[in-house]
Amino acid sequence: MTDRVPVRVVEFAIAGMTCAACSARLEKVLNRLPGVEASVNLASERARVRLAGPSDEAAVVAATAKAGFTATAADSATRAAEKARKEAIYRSETRRFWMSVALTLPLVGQMLFMFGTGSHSHGELPRWLQLLLATPVQFWIGWRFYDGGWKALRGGGANMDVLVALGTSMAWGFSAIVTVFGLDQHVYFEAGAAVITLVLLGKLLEARAKARTSEAIEALIRLQPRTARLERDGQVLEVPVDALMPGDVFIVRPGEAVPVDGEVLSGSSSVNESMLSGESMPVKKHPGDRVFAATANAEGMLRCRATGVGEHTLLAGIIRLVGEAQGSKAPVQRLADRISAVFVPAVCAIALLTLAGWWAYTGIFAEALVNAVAVLVIACPCALGLATPTAIMVGTGQGARAGILVKNAEALEKAGKIAVLALDKTGTLTLGEPRVTDLLPRGLAADEVLRLAAALEQGSEHPLARAVLAKAAGLTLPTVEEFAARPGQGVEGQVEGRALRLGAPEWIGAGDDEIPRLRGEGKTVVALAEGERVLALFAIADPLRPTSKAAVARLRAKGLRLVMLTGDNPATAAAIAREAGIDEFRAGVLPADKAAAVAELKAGDLRVAMVGDGINDAPALAAADVSFAIGAGSDAAIEAADLTLIRSDLAGVADAIDLSAATLGKIRQNLFFAFIYNVLGIPLAALGLLNPVIAGAAMAMSSVSVVSNSLLLRAWRPRREP
């Protein structure tokens, strides 16, 4: 029997990628390794690698280096170093850009002067001076294109660097030969230098814009507190957050951030949890309530016990999930990946045909060369490669800010295309906690019958008992003697010398006319009696969430078919569905049967989504095309569904669908811009209608425009009902 190799997922920071051809080639190289499944993201410059075979991290790093890039294992500890490295590179590239501008301006300036005078003899710089100005731009400042292009070719592929290096080298080489041998030909030093300068400008703008796409996750990371107030041996010590262990008791003073996830032991306060849920209203906290890392304590002091520390806090789970989603690929990106893989060789072929065609047609090599250079320079696969991942990065980041956690890009894409939405009832549509909705006393004061009933229920763990006890909170309860529970019927005992029973009206012998009405509303009725005398009726129900009705109306307005799934009896199910505004429901469905119900709904080739409140609905969530877990509070809830809604509010499903539609809209716009840019630009250049300098400027701005368009998603906000 062979030992099974443990499956690990490792994220690597990748340096050296310049365009979509780079990321596509690296992904292909890594996926050739045995037991490796890799996804490379150009926008985030990350590779997410699943290791399930003999290959390890060292093999991934070596294969990446052989392909012409560098890989470094990335985690929370190395993120700061990676950011500092990128900032240092950005500053260095900025300096090189301004040097390039200084050397290129005289070349471009003399061309503008010549265009203004209409003469090619007056105003032209001496050609030896043009050679001196253009050479450092070509080979020193532009060395990155030669280096990147050589590494790509050595790795068996070609990228944007190859196109830029080829195009500008052809322009510089032709001009240098004309200058050295004194030939009677026009020189194109300004074209090569201007293209390199403009491409560098585009790369700088692109880097700045790409950095903004990851601001959401950076903001989450900055929220993590650095220190905590640990209670030990009667003293309060300020210690690093990393020193806390589960079970430690910590103090949160007014105005401080909660250091780790925990449970309130004593004290009460209001905590701002907007950074997790997107909900601006503070949440009241009392003993027994949960608190989460990085949320802000308001006016009171809380004494808490740590339950989740380090990577096991809800915030750490959110950061991890957002990072994974931003590094994943949406199905719509597959077309762009396939095109990028063959893009550069195809462009080189078109440029060669352009050179040969124009030379044969005009007999003027210089003109043919300029047009071929324009083809090489205008073509850029960067925009194609950035179209999808930048929109996904911004969309998932905005979702996280609004309390919508997206597991992967595919789920975000599918969410906007669902036709049927199956909804769990308990905890999703309803609060998930039975409450006393009606108290009908018969001859005694309401507080008196409530006090007697709660006294009886003190010894019971039944959900209905908890509802009665919650209703009696604040009342002083007498003790109960001779307590006995009757399964399926109720409880009985002696309270203050009175023989009381509380349970099903049939067991009590209550024949009140209100019972059928209350049951018709989907409520459970229990009666309190002393002997044969009925003292009160209690109607208990799991009420709808205050926001469910409006959320259902909003989902129906989107044209979705809503189906409620519940294990309740048909009468209760019908009452809840009617109150929520849902026409279709399935009653008596056990948790194990919900997956079958979802599969039945999918039988019509419709895309079906399932909304549940966590692990109890896991089989149905797994069976659905898209799954939503409503009300996160644990790592398990986050892992259970494709999309997790931090707020316990069904409106989050509608928000997630809106976010999906907005993100998909941006992806489609980006892909359209990228495709139309190349579809129009390359033929125009081949026909001699584009100057290389203009082509270089257009190429530089294509990627910037795609990233900038994705950044417009930052204006998306979840809809708030009035």
Side-chain angles (χ1 to χ4, degrees), residues 125-295:
L125 293 175
R127 291 186 175 180
W128 62 266
L129 180 56
Q130 293 187 51
L131 177 63
L132 287 176
L133 290 171
T135 300
V137 176
Q138 183 69 41
F139 296 105
W140 175 52
I141 294 171
W143 177 252
R144 56 173 288 171
F145 302 112
Y146 291 100
D147 183 54
W150 165 246
K151 288 177 178 177
L153 293 171
R154 188 185 63 186
N159 61 4
M160 184 200 74
D161 291 335
V162 173
L163 298 179
V164 174
L166 271 177
T168 58
S169 295
M170 288 168 66
W172 182 90
F174 175 80
S175 301
I177 291 172
V178 168
T179 300
V180 171
F181 292 100
L183 303 178
D184 187 20
Q185 294 281 349
H186 182 65
V187 294
Y188 299 96
F189 287 119
E190 81 289 340
V195 165
I196 288 175
T197 303
L198 289 168
V199 172
L200 286 178
L201 173 61
K203 284 295 176 186
L204 289 174
L205 294 174
E206 178 187 314
R208 179 180 292 181
K210 281 164 63 177
R212 292 174 65 193
T213 64
S214 60
E215 281 184 0
I217 196 168
E218 293 292 339
L220 288 172
I221 292 169
R222 287 194 298 269
L223 288 172
Q224 297 181 103
R226 298 287 180 265
T227 61
R229 299 186 184 280
L230 175 64
E231 183 180 279
R232 181 172 292 169
D233 300 326
Q235 294 184 324
V236 177
L237 309 173
E238 187 167 331
V239 299
V241 166
D242 295 340
L244 284 182
M245 299 290 289
D248 283 346
V249 176
F250 61 90
I251 304 297
V252 187
R253 298 190 302 192
E256 293 182 339
V258 178
V260 295
D261 290 2
E263 179 184 350
V264 178
L265 298 176
S266 61
S268 61
S269 183
S270 295
V271 176
N272 185 342
E273 297 183 346
S274 60
M275 45 72 62
L276 290 179
S277 65
E279 182 58 60
S280 59
M281 293 299 293
V283 180
K284 291 288 186 182
K285 298 294 180 181
H286 303 286
D289 291 340
R290 297 190 63 186
V291 291
F292 302 101
T295 55

Side-chain angles (χ1 to χ4, degrees), residues 493-519:
Q494 294 280 338
V495 178
E496 295 180 340
R498 307 171 75 162
L500 300 177
R501 291 185 298 157
L502 180 68
E506 291 77 11
W507 178 55
I508 297 295
D512 200 298
D513 293 340
E514 292 290 329
I515 295 174
R517 177 185 68 81
L518 293 171
R519 284 179 170 170

Side-chain angles (χ1 to χ4, degrees), residues 495-716:
V495 178
E496 295 180 340
R498 307 171 75 162
L500 300 177
R501 291 185 298 157
L502 180 68
E506 291 77 11
W507 178 55
I508 297 295
D512 200 298
D513 293 340
E514 292 290 329
I515 295 174
R517 177 185 68 81
L518 293 171
R519 284 179 170 170
E521 295 173 357
K523 300 172 182 176
T524 299
V525 181
V526 295
L528 176 67
E530 182 179 8
E532 299 299 322
R533 179 190 171 196
V534 176
L535 301 180
L537 295 178
F538 293 80
I540 300 173
D542 181 10
L544 278 181
R545 295 185 185 276
T547 56
S548 289
K549 193 170 182 179
V552 166
R554 186 175 162 196
L555 290 166
R556 292 186 63 172
K558 294 181 179 295
L560 298 179
R561 173 188 168 196
L562 304 184
V563 182
M564 185 183 78
L565 305 179
T566 177
D568 279 341
N569 61 72
T572 300
I576 291 293
R578 183 169 57 250
E579 185 181 357
I582 297 173
D583 297 327
E584 190 175 349
F585 64 88
R586 311 281 173 88
V589 181
L590 299 176
D593 299 327
K594 288 183 180 178
V598 170
E600 182 185 338
L601 292 171
K602 291 170 66 177
D605 291 331
L606 297 174
R607 183 159 287 174
V608 177
M610 172 71 189
V611 188
D613 59 344
I615 299 307
N616 291 338
D617 298 309
L621 292 172
D625 295 308
V626 185
S627 53
F628 299 85
I630 185 170
S634 67
D635 290 340
I638 291 177
E639 296 297 331
D642 296 320
L643 296 99
T644 301
L645 312 175
I646 299 295
R647 287 188 297 126
S648 297
D649 186 348
L650 192 60
V653 176
D655 290 334
I657 293 172
D658 288 344
L659 176 63
S660 171
T663 305
L664 279 176
K666 285 299 173 192
I667 290 174
R668 292 190 185 102
Q669 290 171 16
N670 288 347
L671 288 174
F672 173 79
F673 292 149
F675 279 119
I676 203 70
Y677 162 81
N678 285 291
V679 167
L680 294 179
I682 293 175
L684 287 175
L687 292 172
L689 300 177
L690 276 181
N691 180 278
V693 176
I694 297 173
M699 188 269 276
M701 295 310 297
S702 63
S703 298
V704 178
S705 63
V706 164
V707 179
S708 300
N709 188 51
S710 294
L711 286 172
L712 294 177
L713 265 176
R714 296 172 69 192
W716 180 87

Side-chain angles (χ1 to χ4, degrees), residues 23 27 40-42 328-339 384-389 392 409 413 667 671:
S23 58
E27 190 171 288
V40 181
N41 188 315
L42 173 65
S328 63
K329 288 190 176 183
V332 72
Q333 192 175 345
R334 292 171 188 156
L335 176 62
D337 287 346
R338 287 196 295 269
I339 292 174
L384 280 173
L386 293 169
T388 300
I392 292 294
E413 180 179 334
I667 290 174
L671 288 174

